[in-house]
Amino acid sequence: MNINSIPGLMQLPDLPLKPQWRAIAPMVLLIGVFCAGCSSSNDNNTQAASVTPTNVTLTAAQRQNIKLYTVASSSFDRTIETTGVVDFDNDQATSVLAPISGPVSRLVVSPGDKVKKGDPLAYVDSPDFATAISTYRKALVTAHTARRLADLDKDLLQHQGVAQKEADQAETDAASAEADAYAALQTLVSLNVDPQTIKDVEQGRPIARIQGVIRSPIAGTVVEKLISPGQLLQAGTTACFTVADLSRVWVMAQVSDSDLASVHVGDAVDVITSMNARPIKGEVDNIAALVNPDTRLVAARVIVNNMQGLLRKQMYVNVRIHSLHPETGTLVPVSAILRDDENLPFVYVAQTDGSFARRSVTQGYRVGDQFQIPSGLRAGDQIVVDGGIFVQFMQNQ
């Protein structure tokens, strides 16, 4: 192949080349031609990509369909929209542990039942219960006997029938026995023994059947039943029921770090569920001091009135937190924000010569039907809020 015969190539002088170089020289030149073509194409693309959109000039008739908005700094109350999970108000909910050991003989309540403080939840055939009652009986008898002897020695002391030392010892024994009786009584109270049963013991009346009782420590609703008849309970260990006052619940709202500065204790909250179109009112009660390591969000605890019983534990809800601390910034209508080919926000700004220039902006959070603009606009700028799509169309022509 003759290199000088390739069209478009500069004629090369005949040079004395070695045979092996003569064989690859045509290939080298062809690669050079190909690379040169690629370079030219890339340069053209780079120039095309670097072209800045020109301003748009409209006729007087076209401007009649364009609506402008003058940018100004304003004060506003921000609303943070997020999600949350319903939980019990742990200040009004408790897990009921078995106060006594023994097998469950009968259950009295089921989940969903409302109970008052002290109502029985279950009965237990408990040796602990029987032992406690027996101990109280014996302590009462011992205390009564010791007190009678102490009173007798006191009377004898006045008539010099006993020594002072014996009278003092009798008084000490009586006081000790009464203390033991009081301790035995408190044991029965801690075991939630029925007051009538305690009264029967104190009056020496027989008890037909000694049976332990698990009672509700608070008024509320039985939300969990964790035991069954015949199950053996361990005192202080076995969880039997969960009782909660559902008239007030917690909603644990998840707040991102970018919104955290706008959330404060006392902020009003709207809780929205799929069951009810009307929002349920609440209030921010606490903001966690730690970030959830899994979600990187901060929990804001919201106290919500749940008298209608619409909120249930573990229910997912939408949350709107209305900040009570006003903020100052630049707001523009939502309709002013457009997106370019890379999905970046921009607006059209009116120029002094009557044209409209595209300007990139930073889009912040939404406030009602407006967006906060942290950067890109200045007070006094006039932007297109109605007809921006038409201006964009004209610019692309």
Side-chain angles (χ1 to χ4, degrees):
M1 177 180 180
N2 188 358
I3 299 175
N4 292 330
S5 65
I6 300 177
L9 289 182
M10 179 179 67
Q11 300 299 313
L12 299 176
D14 290 333
L15 298 175
L17 299 176
K18 296 181 179 181
Q20 59 269 32
W21 290 107
R22 289 184 179 276
I24 65 173
M27 185 179 299
V28 172
L29 288 176
L30 288 176
I31 293 175
V33 172
F34 178 76
C35 293
C38 292
S39 175
S40 177
S41 176
N42 289 337
D43 291 344
N44 292 336
N45 291 337
T46 302
Q47 293 175 0
S50 63
V51 172
T52 303
T54 58
N55 292 359
V56 181
T57 302
L58 303 179
T59 64
Q62 290 173 335
R63 288 181 62 91
Q64 303 256 337
N65 299 318
I66 302 300
K67 183 177 180 180
L68 299 179
Y69 172 84
T70 302
V71 177
S73 179
S74 59
S75 178
F76 56 90
D77 294 328
R78 185 183 173 192
T79 297
I80 296 91
E81 297 192 11
T82 183
T83 59
V85 181
V86 179
D87 195 4
F88 296 139
D89 182 345
N90 291 332
D91 294 336
Q92 301 185 94
T94 183
S95 177
V96 182
L97 300 179
I100 49 180
S101 299
V104 178
S105 60
R106 183 162 62 97
L107 296 176
V108 182
V109 296
S110 298
D113 291 347
K114 295 184 181 298
V115 295
K116 298 187 294 294
K117 182 179 181 179
D119 282 354
L121 305 177
Y123 291 97
V124 182
D125 291 329
S126 173
D128 295 342
F129 194 85
T131 301
I133 291 180
S134 176
T135 301
Y136 185 46
R137 281 187 186 276
K138 294 177 181 178
L140 283 176
V141 173
T142 302
H144 290 161
T145 301
R147 174 52 57 191
R148 187 173 66 254
L149 292 175
D151 291 342
L152 181 59
D153 285 353
K154 184 178 181 180
D155 183 65
L156 291 174
L157 179 63
Q158 293 177 355
H159 297 85
Q160 298 181 353
V162 295
Q164 180 70 43
K165 180 178 180 180
E166 293 179 0
D168 292 343
Q169 184 61 49
E171 182 64 29
T172 301
D173 293 342
S176 177
E178 289 171 348
D180 291 342
Y182 179 78
L185 173 61
Q186 294 306 308
T187 299
L188 294 182
V189 173
S190 66
L191 293 177
N192 295 318
V193 176
D194 183 59
Q196 183 59 45
T197 301
I198 296 177
K199 188 175 181 180
D200 292 341
V201 172
E202 293 173 343
Q203 295 180 355
R205 290 196 292 262
I207 300 174
R209 183 181 179 185
I210 300 176
Q211 195 173 35
V213 185
I214 300 176
R215 299 184 182 276
S216 176
I218 62 172
T221 303
V222 178
V223 294
E224 281 186 304
K225 177 180 70 68
L226 305 172
I227 58 175
S228 56
Q231 181 177 340
L232 183 62
L233 307 182
Q234 295 295 327
T237 302
T238 307
C240 303
F241 301 90
T242 300
V243 180
D245 182 357
L246 301 180
S247 63
R248 192 177 75 171
V249 296
W250 289 349
V251 172
M252 307 306 294
Q254 305 300 312
V255 181
S256 65
D257 54 355
S258 60
D259 296 330
L260 193 58
S262 300
V263 179
H264 306 82
V265 173
D267 287 349
V269 177
D270 289 334
V271 177
I272 301 95
T273 71
S274 58
M275 300 173 57
N276 189 8
R278 297 181 60 183
I280 305 172
K281 300 298 182 181
E283 181 179 307
V284 176
D285 175 64
N286 179 270
I287 301 173
L290 300 177
V291 176
N292 187 313
D294 298 324
T295 62
R296 310 309 302 173
L297 300 175
V298 177
R301 188 176 70 196
V302 180
I303 293 181
V304 183
N305 189 316
N306 191 40
M307 295 299 295
Q308 297 181 351
L310 297 177
L311 300 178
R312 311 291 177 87
K313 185 177 181 179
Q314 300 301 323
M315 179 183 289
Y316 288 98
V317 294
N318 293 319
V319 178
R320 294 175 185 165
I321 303 175
H322 305 286
S323 178
L324 299 180
H325 294 67
E327 298 183 22
T328 302
T330 301
L331 299 178
V332 301
V334 172
S335 59
I337 305 297
L338 301 174
R339 297 279 175 173
D340 60 16
D341 295 338
E342 298 180 355
N343 201 34
L344 297 177
F346 70 90
V347 298
Y348 282 107
V349 182
Q351 305 299 299
T352 55
D353 60 359
S355 64
F356 297 93
R358 177 185 294 196
R359 185 182 297 176
S360 298
V361 296
T362 302
Q363 178 180 314
Y365 45 79
R366 183 163 180 162
V367 181
D369 59 352
Q370 296 179 306
F371 276 120
Q372 181 234 9
I373 305 298
S375 62
L377 292 175
R378 299 183 300 271
D381 286 343
Q382 287 192 317
I383 61 174
V384 177
V385 295
D386 190 7
I389 298 296
F390 175 72
V391 177
Q392 186 179 18
F393 172 78
M394 295 297 295
Q395 189 177 45
N396 293 335
Q397 295 302 306

